[in-house]
Each structure stands twice: as structure tokens, then as C-alpha cells.
Amino acid sequence: MGVIHAGHTTEAMTLLEPYLPPSAPDTDPNAAHPAVSSTGGYAEGGSLYALGLIHGSHAGSSTAKRTEAATFLRKHLRNSHSNEVISHGAALGVGLTSFGSCD
């Protein structure tokens, strides 16, 4: 999905919403993070990687959207330590999103 929709940054979250792992509320830093899936997590990890592919193309991605996606991916990377698949998807997504941005 990421390659097919590369550069469609405004629709990225809507397109990937059914596959993205859920997020913990930002208001409570001590809240449990449901982003960690104990069963597989291949769809969630793949969707995080796809988000990186979509925002990795600097031609169709604004700096604000790229920063928003990188922040989202970093949050999932920090909270997914018990699921290796989600961790790898988030790490690859962060790399693609931040590649060449000097961030």
C-alpha cells in the first residue's frame, strides 16, 4: 500500500487507519499503550512501514506532514518493545520518513 500511495500524504492516515496500531491517549503519559499487539502484529508493522513509504517521497510530502508522520512513528517505536514486528515496521518507517531531512 505504501508504494501504491507514495506521495498521497494528505490521505495517508485515512488509508492506513484500519491497519495502524491503536495509540494511547497523549494526555496521560503513564497510560497503558495498546500499540503493542501480542498476536502477530504483521498488519500493524506493515502499516507503519507503509506510512514511511508514503512520506518518504520528498516530492509529494510537505515538511509538516513528514514531521507529523515521523512523530507518530517514533511514538509507536518507543511503545512497541514487546512486539518485534511492530518495532521493525516503525523503525523502517521512521528511517524512510526522516531520510534526507537532517532530523
Side-chain angles (χ1 to χ4, degrees):
M1 285 188 71
V3 174
I4 294 169
H5 296 289
H8 297 146
T9 57
T10 55
E11 305 95 11
M13 296 302 275
T14 306
L15 290 168
L16 296 173
E17 187 176 11
Y19 311 102
L20 289 169
S23 297
D26 290 332
T27 55
D28 185 6
N30 298 321
H33 294 281
V36 179
S37 172
S38 61
T39 57
Y42 292 100
E44 292 90 346
S47 66
L48 294 171
Y49 178 52
L51 188 62
L53 287 170
I54 290 170
H55 288 281
S57 168
H58 292 294
S61 183
S62 69
T63 304
K65 285 289 188 184
R66 223 177 9 257
T67 303
E68 179 184 330
T71 302
F72 179 82
L73 289 164
R74 284 186 182 117
K75 185 168 81 172
H76 280 288
L77 183 58
R78 284 187 207 101
N79 298 325
S80 65
H81 296 292
S82 67
N83 191 309
E84 191 174 333
V85 177
I86 294 176
S87 293
H88 280 115
L92 290 168
V94 167
L96 288 168
T97 304
S98 301
F99 188 71
S101 67
C102 299
D103 184 18

